[in-house]
Amino acid sequence: MATKTDDFAPFPVKDQLPGVEFCVSSSPNWPEGIVLGFQHYVVMLGTTVIIPSILVPLMGGGDVEKAEVINTVLFVSGINTLLQSLFGSRLPVVIGASYAYVIPALYITFSYRFTYYLHPHLRFEETMRAIQGALIIASIFHMIVGFFGLWRILVRFLTPLSAAPLVILTAVGLVAFSFPQLARCIEIGLPALIILIILSQYLPHLFKCKRSICEQFAVLFTIAIVWAYAEILTAAGAYDKRPDITQLSCRTDRSGLISASPWVRVPYPLQWGRPSFHGSDAFAMMAATYVAIVETTGSFIAASRFGSATHIPPSVLSRGIGWQGIGVLLDGLFGTATGSTALVENTGLLGLTKVGSRRVVQISAGFMIFFSIFGKFGAVLASIPLPIFAAVYCVLFAYVASAGLGLLQFCNLNSFRTKFILGFSIFIGLSVAQYFTEYLFISGRGPVHTRTSAFNVIMQVIFSSAATVGIMAAFLLDCTHSYGHASVRRDSGRHWWEKFRVYHTDTRTEEFYALPYKLNRFFPSF
């Protein structure tokens, strides 16, 4: 009697993510691409508005200065996104404002030397010039790490096992900007989250169509529906007698951006005056650039997966970090009050839409530049209540975290070494970052409080980043735990990525990462 064969078999390992509608090097038609690019622009607005809204009032600026800084961030983000997609990593990532630079910017803002300026606008300008100087010096460190190949040397030792915690924590480390912000106005944030999940995950399966409009444009539909709902609540007086903090989060007419934004204004370098330079400011900002490099690396790896590209070679990754350093230099020259990073939310949008096209992101850069110049039009969209963006982030950050989990297919999950490195690095990354963040909020200073304030800020910046702490732990353990044991190479998945360590080893690399206009002949990757 014949025995019944087992129908179950392990899923095959995939160098490239299947099921993607458009990969890095392919593009949708122009009408579809323009709408998708606009969606990327809308998604990045949340971070673009939040960071200046935190920093500018503390620097002494009002609504006018806040609107000008937001437009400057948009303008420089558009330029940096184009440079990154054309000459950097060539991945469909949006380059925008980074939370890693907020702590050094606050350190500069609260510096004792600015207490002598009694006029708020003068204090704003002097503070901005100091932040600009620190960013310019930090960008040199950033470019050296990228263009001189220092980051390439390090990431060549990166394995799927050590990269998984990095990508996971790049997203999970931003949880404070998702549901906690959503809960500030639960009556609009929670409906936005529910609507987005229904539109993107359930309706496509109900309609049984190959390419669902609801799936690809779910974020736009969600924001439009809930924004209109918030407008109705505001007009009906639902928040008239609520506390100020609730009104600021829920109302659609409290941002002050529409009235403060100019009709037409082109941001330009040194618009706030000549940058000033201070040693301790620069060192604090360098710590933020290190954190931004780490978090950008996680976003690059996730974007390569969602763009159905092969694993990004170390030389290309280092090239992208170098161009990000140029982006930080532009941040310093134009005066954005913060540095740049690859935005996690836009990387997650690649997974939600299944469109990893480079051209779509370049179109979104065009929207950033256009709306930064014509400020009134951009201010209308920038006034969307932040809890709506927070609801969207709950889904988009989850996609990036899932990209990190997807790297575990290359690892041996039955190995106790793998289990320890994976579990410990994720746990310690979240735990240490939570400790440093809570300590700062409760006591007003970090747990490291020596007489050198710049050193204290450096420690606070580095250890407040879950991704940075996690990758340091995972990288160190993966390179030292059971070193030399025969099974380590296969358990960590190193053998799957070895063919991508050198640029020309895999023939598919050229399709995704080659420079345009045959520039590889003059700037070869190794």
Side-chain angles (χ1 to χ4, degrees):
M1 182 177 178
T3 58
K4 183 180 179 181
T5 59
D6 190 0
D7 295 329
F8 296 101
F11 291 104
V13 174
K14 299 287 186 180
D15 284 334
Q16 296 172 255
L17 184 66
V20 174
E21 297 285 350
F22 296 97
C23 69
V24 171
S25 53
S26 62
S27 306
N29 58 57
W30 277 104
E32 185 178 350
I34 290 172
V35 179
L36 287 167
F38 181 73
Q39 185 170 237
H40 271 282
Y41 161 72
V42 172
V43 165
M44 64 89 62
L45 279 177
T47 301
T48 303
V49 173
I50 289 173
I51 294 179
S53 296
I54 295 172
L55 295 177
V56 171
L58 298 174
M59 294 164 62
D63 286 343
V64 173
E65 288 83 3
K66 183 171 70 172
E68 289 177 348
V69 172
I70 289 173
N71 287 336
T72 302
V73 172
L74 271 177
F75 186 81
V76 177
S77 295
I79 295 173
N80 288 340
T81 300
L82 285 175
L83 292 176
Q84 187 66 237
S85 63
L86 286 172
F87 307 114
S89 65
R90 301 281 286 155
L91 289 168
V93 292
V94 171
I95 306 298
S98 171
Y99 292 106
Y101 294 87
V102 171
I103 294 177
L106 291 175
Y107 164 70
I108 296 171
T109 299
F110 294 131
S111 177
Y112 184 75
R113 65 185 186 273
F114 296 119
T115 58
Y116 296 104
Y117 298 99
L118 300 179
H119 193 280
H121 182 73
L122 183 59
R123 183 162 63 89
F124 166 77
E125 287 188 337
E126 291 297 326
T127 307
M128 178 65 81
R129 292 169 188 172
I131 295 175
Q132 287 182 258
L135 284 170
I136 290 171
I137 295 177
S139 70
I140 298 173
F141 165 76
H142 210 303
M143 288 185 280
I144 289 174
V145 169
F147 288 133
F148 281 74
L150 301 181
W151 200 242
R152 177 186 66 206
I153 295 171
L154 285 175
V155 296
R156 278 186 172 171
F157 295 97
L158 207 62
T159 67
L161 176 57
S162 53
L166 168 61
V167 179
I168 293 169
L169 292 174
T170 298
V172 176
L174 297 174
V175 291
F177 302 101
S178 51
F179 197 85
Q181 297 298 319
L182 177 156
R184 287 174 177 251
C185 190
I186 197 74
E187 57 265 39
I188 64 173
L190 190 58
L193 178 59
I194 294 171
I195 291 171
L196 179 58
I197 292 174
I198 292 173
L199 288 179
S200 63
Q201 306 301 321
Y202 288 90
L203 285 187
H205 297 285
L206 291 176
F207 288 115
K208 302 290 184 182
C209 55
K210 183 179 179 182
R211 290 172 57 198
S212 171
I213 294 177
C214 288
E215 186 177 25
Q216 290 193 345
F217 307 121
V219 170
L220 281 182
F221 289 146
T222 299
I223 291 176
I225 292 169
V226 182
W227 190 18
Y229 171 60
E231 287 278 6
I232 294 171
L233 290 178
T234 302
Y239 305 114
D240 289 348
K241 297 181 180 180
R242 301 286 290 276
D244 289 341
I245 190 170
T246 302
Q247 293 196 41
L248 187 62
S249 297
C250 299
R251 294 183 70 98
T252 58
D253 57 358
R254 290 295 296 272
S255 66
L257 295 177
I258 298 175
S259 59
S261 296
W263 281 102
V264 180
R265 181 180 182 271
V266 181
Y268 55 92
L270 307 183
Q271 58 188 330
W272 314 113
R274 182 185 300 174
S276 61
F277 300 93
H278 196 274
S280 61
D281 298 347
F283 282 112
M285 204 62 79
M286 283 183 191
T289 62
Y290 168 66
V291 171
I293 288 171
V294 169
E295 294 177 350
T296 295
T297 300
S299 293
F300 280 174
I301 294 173
S304 67
R305 291 296 294 174
F306 287 136
S308 196
T310 53
H311 177 61
I312 180 170
S315 58
V316 176
L317 206 159
S318 194
R319 185 179 74 196
I321 294 300
W323 277 97
Q324 185 183 321
I326 292 178
V328 176
L329 175 62
L330 293 176
D331 291 324
L333 291 174
F334 279 83
T336 61
T338 183
S340 295
T341 189
L343 294 182
V344 178
E345 54 266 36
N346 289 86
T347 304
L349 187 59
L350 303 177
L352 178 68
T353 61
K354 300 179 185 176
V355 177
S357 170
R358 185 187 300 125
R359 179 188 290 175
V360 168
V361 168
Q362 292 169 345
I363 292 171
S364 75
F367 280 111
M368 296 174 213
I369 295 172
F370 175 83
F371 284 112
S372 67
I373 295 173
F374 298 95
K376 288 288 186 187
F377 300 102
V380 173
L381 292 170
S383 64
I384 298 171
L386 294 179
I388 298 178
F389 286 111
V392 173
Y393 294 164
C394 288
V395 174
L396 301 185
F397 291 167
Y399 266 101
V400 176
S402 71
L405 293 172
L407 298 178
L408 298 177
Q409 66 181 302
F410 303 107
C411 307
N412 177 15
L413 292 178
N414 293 317
S415 163
F416 279 93
R417 175 185 181 274
T418 301
K419 293 177 186 296
F420 169 70
I421 294 175
L422 178 66
F424 178 78
S425 57
I426 292 176
F427 179 82
I428 203 67
L430 290 172
S431 184
V432 170
Q434 181 72 12
Y435 169 70
F436 271 76
T437 303
E438 283 189 359
Y439 199 107
L440 179 64
F441 277 109
I442 293 172
S443 64
R445 56 178 173 80
V448 180
H449 42 274
T450 65
R451 293 183 178 180
T452 307
S453 57
F455 177 77
N456 301 341
V457 174
I458 289 171
M459 293 295 101
Q460 185 68 35
V461 170
I462 292 175
F463 291 100
S464 293
S465 168
T468 305
V469 176
I471 187 58
M472 288 193 296
F475 189 84
L476 177 64
L477 291 170
D478 195 29
C479 291
T480 58
H481 188 308
S482 304
Y483 181 78
H485 197 279
S487 63
V488 166
R489 178 173 167 271
R490 296 185 63 85
D491 288 348
S492 62
R494 187 183 302 274
H495 61 294
W496 286 104
W497 279 8
E498 277 186 347
K499 57 187 171 184
F500 304 115
R501 289 181 66 186
V502 179
Y503 182 84
H504 291 290
T505 303
D506 192 280
T507 56
R508 296 169 292 179
T509 302
E510 191 79 9
E511 175 188 353
F512 302 113
Y513 302 109
L515 292 172
Y517 316 118
K518 299 182 180 180
L519 289 175
N520 270 40
R521 293 181 299 174
F522 307 103
F523 305 99
S525 298
F526 302 101

